[in-house]
């Protein structure tokens, strides 16, 4: 033979080329569909869902509210509250209070398993009140930090008596975070 392709070989090559082209197009389309589905899923999430994911992964995050920030791993998230382990201890973050979460380090070791706990800031404040624990509350909308004993937790506010015996009424919605002191 002189090396020329036979009609059968030409058809085999053409068939192979068509199969590869169709296969590549189907693969690309499947990848686009998968990306679209992932985007739709991201659009359905709430900040609480993001926080729960960060807890399960064990990532190091910075929580920012106003001109203050806290850094550490999230160790709990449920409802409108998340807990952050910081250098000063546990801080309970009120997610709807205009906080921003920045993921600083992705964990390779994994996070913590879900545990029982409060699902609202109000419930967490009631726990602290019943335990007789003084608190520190950061209210970025007013640029104030209030420290003292919880006098009472109302439906939409908390009353705190500070060291100077002044009583503060703080709207729960405005409190970015609290910690027991």
């Amino acid at each position: 033979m002189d090396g020329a392709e036979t009609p059968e070989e030409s058809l085999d090559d053409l068939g192979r080329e068509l199969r590869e082209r169709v296969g590549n197009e189907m693969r690309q389309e499947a990848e686009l569909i998968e990306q679209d589905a992932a985007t739709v899923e991201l659009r359905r999430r709430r900040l609480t869902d993001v926080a729960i994911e960060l807890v399960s992964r064990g990532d190091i995050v910075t929580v920012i509210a106003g001109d203050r920030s806290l850094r550490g791993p999230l160790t709990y998230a449920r409802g409108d509250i998340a807990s952050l382990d910081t250098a000063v201890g546990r801080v309970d973050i009120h997610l709807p209070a205009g906080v921003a979460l920045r993921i600083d380090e992705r964990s390779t070791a994994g996070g913590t398993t879900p545990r029982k706990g409060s699902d609202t800031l109000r419930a967490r404040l009631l726990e602290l009140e019943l335990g007789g624990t003084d608190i520190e509350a950061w209210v970025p909308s007013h640029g104030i930090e209030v420290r003292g004993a919880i006098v009472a937790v109302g439906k939409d506010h908390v009353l705190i008596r500070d060291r100077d015996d002044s009583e503060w009424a703080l709207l729960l919605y405005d409190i970015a975070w609290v910690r027991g002191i």
Side-chain angles (χ1 to χ4, degrees), residues 131-146:
T133 305
D134 285 0
I135 66 164
E136 172 185 277
W138 169 237
V139 184
S141 58
H142 301 295
I144 58 172
E145 180 179 87
V146 179

Side-chain angles (χ1 to χ4, degrees), residues 77-92:
R78 183 175 173 192
D80 73 7
I81 195 166
S83 298
L84 187 74
D85 263 355
T86 70
V88 295
R90 171 183 169 174
V91 178
D92 296 303

Side-chain angles (χ1 to χ4, degrees), residues 94 96-98 121 141 156-157 170-176:
H94 188 213
L121 178 63
S141 58
D156 67 349
H157 68 284
L170 304 176
L171 192 61
L172 296 179
Y173 181 79
D174 289 337
I175 299 172

Side-chain angles (χ1 to χ4, degrees), residues 10-172:
S10 293
L11 286 175
D12 287 344
D13 289 344
L14 178 61
R16 187 178 318 105
E17 184 180 325
L18 288 173
R19 283 190 300 276
E20 287 175 2
R21 188 178 310 152
V22 169
N24 286 337
E25 288 174 6
M26 290 177 68
R27 197 170 18 264
Q28 289 172 349
E29 186 173 334
E31 288 172 4
L32 287 174
I33 290 170
E34 189 174 313
Q35 288 173 354
D36 288 346
T39 300
V40 167
E41 184 61 29
L42 289 174
R43 289 179 181 150
R44 289 182 180 159
R45 298 190 324 167
R46 298 170 299 135
L47 187 57
T48 300
D49 300 321
V50 173
I52 290 168
E53 181 181 324
L54 294 170
V55 169
S56 68
R57 287 198 322 230
D59 295 345
I60 303 297
V61 300
T62 296
V63 179
I64 304 162
D67 64 352
R68 297 209 182 161
S69 63
L70 301 168
R71 187 172 191 272
L74 286 177
T75 57
Y76 176 80
R78 183 175 173 192
D80 73 7
I81 195 166
S83 298
L84 187 74
D85 263 355
T86 70
V88 295
R90 171 183 169 174
V91 178
D92 296 303
I93 310 300
H94 188 213
L95 296 171
V99 299
L101 305 177
R102 182 182 70 213
I103 301 156
D104 294 331
E105 297 174 29
R106 298 279 186 191
S107 174
T108 56
T112 59
T113 56
R115 62 176 167 83
K116 291 186 178 196
S118 304
D119 63 351
T120 66
L121 178 63
R122 183 175 185 276
R124 178 63 180 137
L125 287 169
L126 286 167
E127 288 175 358
L128 293 166
E129 178 187 14
L130 291 173
T133 305
D134 285 0
I135 66 164
E136 172 185 277
W138 169 237
V139 184
S141 58
H142 301 295
I144 58 172
E145 180 179 87
V146 179
R147 292 171 163 235
I150 298 174
V151 176
V153 179
K155 291 193 178 284
D156 67 349
H157 68 284
V158 61
L159 296 175
I160 302 171
R161 181 169 291 113
D162 68 15
R163 292 182 184 149
D164 297 329
D165 212 31
S166 295
E167 200 165 285
W168 295 78
L170 304 176
L171 192 61
L172 296 179

